[in-house]
Amino acid sequence: MPDMSVLILGGDGYLGWPTAMYFSRRGRAVTVVDNYFRRNASIELDSESLIPTANLLQRAKRWEETTGKRINVFIGDIVQYEFLLSVVHESRPDTIIHYAEQPSAPYSMLNREKAAFTIRNNLISTLNIIYAVKEAAPGSHIVKLGTMGEYGTPDIDIEEGWLEIEYKGRKGKFLFPREASSLYHTTKIQDTDLLWFYVRTWGLRVTDLMQGPVYGISTDEADIHDDLKPNFHYDEIFGTVLNRFIVQAIAGYPLTVYGKGGQKRGYINLKDTLQCVYLSSINPPDCGELRIFNQVTEVFSVNDLAGKVQHVGKELGYDVHIHNIENPRKEKEDHYYNPKYTGLAELGLAPHYLTDEVLTGMFNVIKPYQHRINRDAIFRGVKW
Amino acid sequence: MPDMSVLILGGDGYLGWPTAMYFSRRGRAVTVVDNYFRRNASIELDSESLIPTANLLQRAKRWEETTGKRINVFIGDIVQYEFLLSVVHESRPDTIIHYAEQPSAPYSMLNREKAAFTIRNNLISTLNIIYAVKEAAPGSHIVKLGTMGEYGTPDIDIEEGWLEIEYKGRKGKFLFPREASSLYHTTKIQDTDLLWFYVRTWGLRVTDLMQGPVYGISTDEADIHDDLKPNFHYDEIFGTVLNRFIVQAIAGYPLTVYGKGGQKRGYINLKDTLQCVYLSSINPPDCGELRIFNQVTEVFSVNDLAGKVQHVGKELGYDVHIHNIENPRKEKEDHYYNPKYTGLAELGLAPHYLTDEVLTGMFNVIKPYQHRINRDAIFRGVKW
């Protein structure tokens, strides 16, 4: 499908930029859009990427120099509908990948302004995409990043998006109950509400990828040149837990386990995120379908992760300590957790599991940037 | 409890103003807030209230002249947090009644701008109330108007807000599944998501009243003086179905039944809305509790309502026709519907049912305003 056009919203991000290269390398016409929210917010909050990243135009230029393939770049805010509409008109996408959300739970809990920003940004961007598809790209496939955090930690098995029940002798099929543990995660539930309404009403085709925390820094395309690496955050606001722990191990900063550390989540390697998004895009759902996949490959507790990082760190000669600190969040620290995640495997996902080799690889990529670690950014205790 | 202070957000509305008088008459210190959204929108859309209503300051003045009781008025937009915060500081409420939402399904479906307005207005107002309570009125009770429309029309019995299930041998209790049939109703689901998150996280006390369509125009307080009547909309955008049908019957305009007319909903008399809100306020839930009631007293199909209005209209000498028109909405026209609504009855609700006498009373109140009926506003076919 060499003519297929993909529009990646949030294309400057940790997932967005590697996704752009992944699709470009596979012959897609790729357009990326970003408003540099994360770049600006991470400057404001003194929590910049460990790996310095060139701006999106520079990255696209380097990509073209290196591979001969062009990635179109638009800088702007898709909360501005006319801007988004003009991009959709110009790029004529078959697939729209929606990463353009404020993605941090602690950011959304900092104060009222950040909470209101998160609601407005995440919901109005999703609404605008829905309207732009209806107006300028009918039939195109919206791939939206949800999060496993929407489900929370229920006492029953977590199905892939839907729950079929029998109740008082009658049957019903509903969205799987959602109960998140941050305002950010709650906006993702609200996004689902929005998309599900317009799928039913206007016959949109949508894939919702309920992703767990992502780790990793290496992808086949990012490894081509240092300038093509994704951003890499290790701070409390924008860093995901495993990425943070590896930086902490290298910095000699005790691994900060919140509370008892029994919090279980499903995790996924950055490389597998790319596979999942790509597999979804080449196998679109029907019009009028909201298809939901749980985008994880393994389940770990925080203690599991800390133990693995400590183990590999020690092998590599680091003196790694684990420190259980008072949990600044409201969450269960010991709970049932049994999510299903077979849908993407059925589409062909070949997982990269969290092996000692993968962890060693991450230590090795990060080590040269050790001098850039800002210890003050690692933990500041944003309270829920 | 003569010292109790109640803050009514959206106090100029169809429910807001009668609620203000109801609480004031019972000795509460009442503060009302409104930004006149509905007044302005109904001018813009040529769908003004059938009954002319004085502005809120004038209404409060008339109330004080008539009863000797004072209602404090603030005109402003609670989406502006500093404004809301100053009102909360000044009024020191024990109870905050949140009617300040864009309340029309067709309005929310008119176009993208109206949809975005509905999302921003409804969610940011709710977020601001949550933060204002935390900052300036901890422990106060938020009474929020939800809607039965959040549940949609599931094939299983509709419980009061929550669903307890057994699934694969394990048990879970969740928010009852929600699946609404307009963007407006979807924002009410999103409101629930928001409140439920902060109830769990910050220990708020919240009552969510899942109200069905309200009808009626008479309340004990509104009947004291013509200037104290609530607004009364009969158009497709802001009028609820039974109110519309009575105006249509008087105007000699066929009753517009959408599709087959088998759509069943729970309905409630305006007088009973006031009882329900009051009963909720004097019986607050505990901190950390989201208490949900289904606020209806009877279930009817649209055909039932049209039949009742035709019957009473004919008795009164009107030539009332029923016209089944192509349904401009996406909704089931023939479906299972079995909602529970026992919680408010247990608090003491004494329902006013939809009798021929009640319908006759509505015809009689509306008749003197017959010359003000704008036939063009009745049906314009806002499509879903």
Side-chain angles (χ1 to χ4, degrees):
Chain A
M1 290 180 283
D3 301 313
M4 281 195 72
S5 167
V6 57
L7 175 59
I8 300 172
L9 307 170
D12 189 48
Y14 174 53
L15 308 178
W17 174 245
T19 302
M21 294 189 291
Y22 193 91
F23 277 79
S24 178
R25 203 183 198 187
R26 282 154 185 80
R28 298 305 185 280
V30 176
T31 300
V32 293
V33 175
D34 211 288
N35 66 347
Y36 291 148
F37 158 74
R38 173 131 61 167
R39 285 182 188 259
N40 295 327
S42 66
I43 293 171
E44 176 194 339
L45 297 170
D46 187 25
S47 58
E48 288 177 75
S49 172
L50 182 67
I51 300 177
T53 50
N55 71 45
L56 206 39
L57 283 159
Q58 291 298 323
R59 286 167 141 187
K61 201 162 137 184
R62 176 66 74 189
W63 178 249
E64 193 168 351
E65 286 167 8
T66 318
T67 65
K69 292 177 186 297
R70 187 171 164 72
I71 290 176
N72 289 309
V73 175
F74 290 87
I75 302 304
D77 187 348
I78 66 164
V79 167
Q80 306 300 325
Y81 183 63
E82 298 306 325
F83 166 70
L84 174 63
L85 191 63
S86 71
V87 172
V88 171
H89 271 302
E90 194 152 331
S91 58
R92 308 201 147 279
D94 303 291
T95 306
I96 299 177
I97 300 170
H98 179 20
Y99 291 129
E101 304 222 338
Q102 191 297 97
S104 160
Y107 186 91
S108 74
M109 300 301 293
L110 276 170
N111 55 44
R112 193 206 67 87
E113 284 69 27
K114 306 288 196 233
F117 171 82
T118 303
I119 291 173
R120 277 196 308 263
N121 183 78
N122 293 5
L123 298 186
I124 303 299
S125 66
T126 300
L127 179 76
N128 284 354
I129 293 165
I130 290 164
Y131 265 88
V133 164
K134 184 167 187 256
E135 187 170 346
S140 75
H141 173 202
I142 300 171
V143 178
K144 178 240 176 188
L145 264 281
T147 158
M148 289 295 290
E150 293 180 44
Y151 302 127
T153 53
D155 273 336
I156 64 170
D157 292 356
I158 297 175
E159 304 293 344
E160 294 203 70
W162 304 93
L163 183 67
E164 291 187 56
I165 59 167
E166 217 179 291
Y167 186 70
K168 296 186 178 173
R170 300 183 62 88
K171 286 182 180 175
K173 183 185 175 187
F174 305 100
L175 282 171
F176 192 92
R178 281 150 166 81
E179 183 171 302
S181 64
S182 83
L183 188 269
Y184 151 71
H185 290 95
T186 301
T187 65
K188 293 284 210 172
I189 297 175
Q190 295 171 318
D191 259 341
T192 307
D193 295 335
L194 209 55
L195 284 162
W196 177 217
F197 168 65
Y198 285 107
V199 163
R200 295 196 313 279
T201 305
W202 290 347
L204 304 180
R205 63 170 92 206
V206 175
T207 300
D208 195 358
L209 297 173
M210 310 292 274
Q211 188 174 243
V214 184
Y215 61 84
I217 189 160
S218 170
T219 78
D220 290 347
E221 297 76 26
D223 291 349
I224 294 173
H225 192 291
D226 269 357
D227 289 356
L228 300 176
K229 282 197 167 44
N231 65 48
F232 189 84
H233 289 270
Y234 59 95
D235 62 286
E236 183 187 342
I237 308 286
F238 291 119
T240 53
V241 55
L242 185 66
N243 290 356
R244 274 195 281 136
F245 277 177
I246 291 173
V247 171
Q248 289 176 243
I250 290 174
Y253 192 110
L255 310 188
T256 42
V257 171
Y258 294 174
K260 287 190 271 180
Q263 302 92 321
K264 288 188 200 145
R265 301 287 186 270
Y267 289 85
I268 187 166
N269 190 307
L270 176 57
K271 289 181 178 175
D272 292 345
T273 293
L274 308 188
Q275 278 192 74
C276 290
V277 172
Y278 187 76
L279 288 167
S280 298
S281 84
I282 61 174
N283 298 285
D286 291 333
C287 288
E289 186 185 349
L290 171 61
R291 178 178 61 172
I292 305 176
F293 294 127
N294 292 344
Q295 187 162 305
V296 303
T297 60
E298 295 168 281
V299 171
F300 299 112
S301 71
V302 175
N303 285 330
D304 292 337
L305 296 180
K308 281 174 183 288
V309 171
Q310 185 177 48
H311 168 73
V312 171
K314 282 189 169 168
E315 296 276 313
L316 295 172
Y318 295 100
D319 185 23
V320 184
H321 294 270
I322 296 173
H323 185 36
N324 289 73
I325 60 173
E326 197 191 332
N327 197 337
R329 306 183 177 192
K330 289 249 169 86
E331 62 184 5
K332 290 185 202 148
E333 295 171 8
D334 189 10
H335 57 87
Y336 184 75
Y337 199 66
N338 190 25
K340 297 295 160 61
Y341 42 93
T342 55
L344 287 159
E346 283 162 20
L347 287 189
L349 171 65
H352 295 77
Y353 293 114
L354 184 59
T355 60
D356 286 0
E357 290 65 39
V358 166
L359 284 164
T360 303
M362 288 179 68
F363 272 91
N364 290 337
V365 174
I366 293 164
K367 203 183 166 201
Y369 300 95
Q370 184 175 357
H371 63 285
R372 288 179 45 93
I373 298 172
N374 169 9
R375 293 174 65 94
D376 296 337
I378 291 172
F379 179 74
R380 47 188 108 190
V382 177
K383 269 193 105 65
W384 257 230
Chain B
M1 290 179 281
D3 300 313
M4 279 195 73
S5 167
V6 58
L7 174 60
I8 300 172
L9 306 170
D12 190 48
Y14 174 54
L15 307 179
W17 175 243
T19 303
M21 294 189 290
Y22 192 92
F23 277 79
S24 178
R25 202 182 200 190
R26 282 154 185 79
R28 298 304 187 281
V30 176
T31 301
V32 292
V33 175
D34 211 288
N35 66 347
Y36 291 147
F37 158 74
R38 172 131 61 164
R39 284 182 189 260
N40 296 327
S42 64
I43 293 171
E44 176 193 338
L45 297 169
D46 188 25
S47 58
E48 288 178 76
S49 172
L50 182 67
I51 301 177
T53 52
N55 71 46
L56 206 39
L57 284 159
Q58 291 298 324
R59 287 167 139 186
K61 203 163 135 186
R62 175 68 73 190
W63 177 249
E64 193 168 351
E65 285 166 8
T66 318
T67 64
K69 292 177 186 301
R70 185 172 166 71
I71 290 176
N72 290 308
V73 175
F74 290 86
I75 302 304
D77 187 347
I78 68 165
V79 166
Q80 304 300 323
Y81 183 64
E82 298 306 324
F83 166 70
L84 174 64
L85 192 62
S86 71
V87 172
V88 171
H89 270 303
E90 194 154 328
S91 58
R92 307 201 145 280
D94 303 292
T95 306
I96 298 176
I97 300 171
H98 179 19
Y99 291 129
E101 304 222 337
Q102 191 298 94
S104 161
Y107 185 91
S108 74
M109 300 301 293
L110 277 169
N111 55 43
R112 193 207 67 88
E113 285 68 26
K114 306 288 196 233
F117 172 82
T118 302
I119 291 173
R120 278 197 306 264
N121 183 79
N122 293 5
L123 299 186
I124 303 300
S125 66
T126 300
L127 179 76
N128 285 354
I129 293 165
I130 290 164
Y131 265 88
V133 164
K134 183 165 188 256
E135 188 170 346
S140 75
H141 174 202
I142 300 171
V143 179
K144 178 242 175 187
L145 265 280
T147 160
M148 290 295 290
E150 293 180 44
Y151 302 127
T153 52
D155 273 336
I156 64 170
D157 292 356
I158 298 175
E159 304 293 343
E160 295 203 69
W162 303 93
L163 184 67
E164 290 187 57
I165 59 167
E166 217 179 290
Y167 186 71
K168 296 185 179 174
R170 300 185 62 88
K171 287 182 180 173
K173 183 185 173 187
F174 304 101
L175 281 173
F176 191 93
R178 282 151 166 81
E179 183 171 302
S181 64
S182 83
L183 188 270
Y184 151 72
H185 290 96
T186 301
T187 64
K188 292 284 210 171
I189 297 174
Q190 295 171 317
D191 259 341
T192 307
D193 295 335
L194 208 55
L195 284 162
W196 177 219
F197 168 65
Y198 285 108
V199 163
R200 296 197 311 280
T201 305
W202 290 349
L204 304 181
R205 62 170 91 204
V206 175
T207 299
D208 195 357
L209 297 173
M210 310 292 273
Q211 189 173 240
V214 184
Y215 62 84
I217 189 160
S218 170
T219 78
D220 291 346
E221 297 76 28
D223 292 347
I224 294 174
H225 191 291
D226 269 357
D227 289 356
L228 299 176
K229 282 197 167 41
N231 66 46
F232 189 84
H233 288 270
Y234 59 95
D235 62 285
E236 182 186 343
I237 308 287
F238 290 119
T240 52
V241 55
L242 185 66
N243 290 356
R244 274 196 280 136
F245 279 176
I246 291 174
V247 170
Q248 288 175 240
I250 290 175
Y253 191 109
L255 309 188
T256 41
V257 170
Y258 293 174
K260 288 191 268 180
Q263 301 92 324
K264 286 188 200 141
R265 300 288 185 269
Y267 289 84
I268 187 167
N269 189 306
L270 176 57
K271 288 181 178 175
D272 293 345
T273 293
L274 308 188
Q275 277 192 71
C276 291
V277 172
Y278 187 75
L279 288 167
S280 297
S281 83
I282 61 175
N283 297 286
D286 291 333
C287 288
E289 187 185 349
L290 171 61
R291 180 179 61 173
I292 305 176
F293 293 127
N294 292 345
Q295 186 160 307
V296 303
T297 60
E298 295 169 280
V299 171
F300 299 113
S301 71
V302 175
N303 286 329
D304 292 338
L305 296 180
K308 281 173 185 287
V309 170
Q310 184 177 47
H311 168 72
V312 171
K314 284 192 167 165
E315 295 277 312
L316 295 172
Y318 295 99
D319 185 24
V320 184
H321 294 271
I322 296 173
H323 185 38
N324 289 73
I325 60 173
E326 197 190 332
N327 196 338
R329 306 184 176 191
K330 288 248 170 86
E331 61 185 5
K332 289 184 202 148
E333 295 172 8
D334 188 11
H335 57 88
Y336 184 75
Y337 199 65
N338 189 26
K340 296 296 160 60
Y341 42 93
T342 55
L344 287 159
E346 283 162 18
L347 287 189
L349 171 65
H352 295 76
Y353 293 113
L354 184 58
T355 59
D356 286 0
E357 290 66 39
V358 166
L359 284 164
T360 302
M362 288 179 69
F363 271 90
N364 289 337
V365 174
I366 293 164
K367 204 183 164 199
Y369 301 94
Q370 185 175 355
H371 63 285
R372 287 179 47 92
I373 298 172
N374 169 8
R375 293 174 65 94
D376 296 337
I378 290 172
F379 179 74
R380 47 187 108 191
V382 177
K383 270 193 102 66
W384 257 231

